[in-house]
């Protein structure tokens, strides 16, 4: 008998969570262990030594303890736990915070069921996935270049900008940290995006994670 992959759903919208559980229950390879309303309930789930799931499906906007706070807790207490964000939030700041927190994938809730199943499989087996809607916004080349060659594309100043760009600092904050004008930072951004063949700041963060260019704390 095939061993099923286990899922825990963390979402405060009960109707959505139950519909999601129903969808997953129809897939032969998966089973849902629990539906939890927020990150606090997830921490209690672990504290009661319940069965550790292969994957957590995590909403971002929740009361008591939201997705970003939950990722911070998991990063400290359960860093090996694979998490797939499943949310309506598609703003750049939220995506970057979830990625930096350790989320292995980011899906929007309007994803097609077949793509959803594929996403779960990819995160569990390969460790990384982004929905087509997010991926298209972050489109960048996967040319397989080694870290050294990618590094050599950037000047020392551009490399410094890259490190700051992968934090939660705004571009204005980065200008202040580097002692440069916002216009100069804008020029660095365009140069780095072009050299690394990315189109957005989120795409830049994903690119750095995939190529292990910098450490994402």
């Amino acid at each position: 008998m095939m061993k099923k992959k286990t899922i825990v759903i963390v979402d405060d919208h009960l109707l959505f969570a139950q519909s999601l559980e129903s969808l997953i229950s129809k897939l032969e390879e998966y089973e849902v262990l629990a539906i939890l309303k927020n990150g606090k309930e997830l921490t209690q789930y672990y504290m009661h030594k319940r069965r550790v799931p292969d994957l957590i499906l995590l909403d971002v906007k929740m009361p008591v303890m939201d997705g970003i706070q939950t990722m911070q807790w998991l990063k400290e207490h359960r860093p090996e736990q694979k998490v797939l964000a499943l949310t309506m939030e598609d703003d750049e700041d939220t995506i970057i915070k979830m990625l930096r927190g350790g989320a292995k994938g980011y899906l929007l809730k309007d994803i097609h069921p077949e793509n959803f199943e594929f996403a779960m499989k990819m995160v569990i087996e390969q460790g990384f996935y982004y929905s087509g809607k997010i991926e298209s916004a972050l489109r960048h080349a996967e040319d397989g270049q080694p870290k050294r060659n990618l590094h050599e594309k950037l000047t020392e100043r551009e490399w410094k900008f890259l490190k700051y760009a992968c934090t939660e600092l705004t571009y204005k904050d980065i200008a202040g940290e580097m002692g440069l004008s916002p216009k100069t930072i804008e020029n660095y951004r365009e140069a780095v995006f072009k050299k690394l063949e990315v189109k957005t700041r989120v795409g830049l963060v994903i690119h750095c994670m995939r190529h292990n260019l910098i450490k994402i704390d």
Side-chain angles (χ1 to χ4, degrees):
M1 184 177 179
M2 177 182 62
K3 183 180 178 181
K4 293 190 175 185
K5 302 295 184 183
T6 53
I7 310 292
V8 165
I9 300 169
V10 185
D11 195 308
D12 65 311
H13 293 96
L14 186 59
L15 185 60
F16 175 81
Q18 290 177 337
S19 297
L20 189 59
E21 179 186 30
S22 177
L23 172 64
I24 294 172
S25 68
K26 295 176 183 177
L27 305 175
E28 293 183 1
E29 296 181 39
Y30 302 92
E31 66 172 310
V32 175
L33 299 179
I35 296 177
L36 309 173
K37 294 194 292 294
N38 53 61
K40 186 66 175 178
E41 289 194 2
L42 180 63
T43 65
Q44 293 169 346
Y45 178 94
Y46 282 115
M47 289 175 184
H48 286 88
K49 298 182 178 179
R50 304 267 307 271
R51 187 177 173 188
V52 177
D54 293 302
L55 181 66
I56 291 175
L57 298 175
L58 180 65
D59 193 11
V60 174
K61 280 198 171 181
M62 298 178 291
V64 185
M65 188 172 176
D66 65 20
I68 293 170
Q69 293 169 322
T70 303
M71 288 308 309
Q72 292 170 346
W73 186 91
L74 288 169
K75 193 171 186 179
E76 180 178 352
H77 299 279
R78 295 278 177 166
E80 73 288 348
Q81 178 66 67
K82 292 178 179 177
V83 178
L84 181 56
L86 184 59
T87 178
M88 293 301 295
E89 308 304 312
D90 62 355
D91 63 284
E92 183 179 88
D93 185 56
T94 298
I95 297 171
I96 289 175
K97 285 180 178 178
M98 291 297 286
L99 295 183
R100 287 176 56 81
K104 301 302 181 184
Y106 200 101
L107 300 179
L108 299 183
K109 286 183 175 179
D110 61 358
I111 189 171
H112 190 280
E114 289 183 4
N115 294 335
F116 170 66
E117 181 181 0
F118 178 71
M120 290 197 298
K121 180 181 177 67
M122 288 297 293
V123 171
I124 291 173
E125 296 182 2
Q126 304 296 326
F128 216 80
Y129 180 81
Y130 292 89
S131 70
K133 193 166 185 177
I134 292 293
E135 195 70 68
S136 64
L138 319 175
R139 188 72 61 191
H140 63 280
E142 286 295 324
D143 53 18
Q145 297 178 82
K147 178 179 177 180
R148 181 177 58 82
N149 289 343
L150 285 167
H151 188 178
E152 289 173 354
K153 283 185 174 185
L154 305 180
T155 66
E156 184 177 348
R157 281 286 193 170
E158 289 169 348
W159 187 251
K160 188 174 183 179
F161 165 79
L162 173 69
K163 291 179 179 179
Y164 280 126
C166 288
T167 70
E168 295 170 20
L169 293 175
T170 65
Y171 287 126
K172 183 178 180 180
D173 292 336
I174 295 172
E177 290 290 331
M178 294 183 67
L180 300 170
S181 69
K183 180 62 178 176
T184 301
I185 290 300
E186 184 178 326
N187 292 337
Y188 278 136
R189 180 189 66 196
E190 295 305 314
V192 170
F193 281 13
K194 184 175 181 179
K195 288 181 179 181
L196 297 186
E197 300 181 62
V198 301
K199 295 184 178 180
T200 69
R201 188 172 180 179
V202 176
L204 181 67
V205 173
I206 293 174
H207 188 84
C208 289
M209 291 175 68
R210 284 178 172 170
H211 290 285
N212 198 28
L213 283 175
I214 64 172
K215 182 179 179 182
I216 304 293
D217 297 321

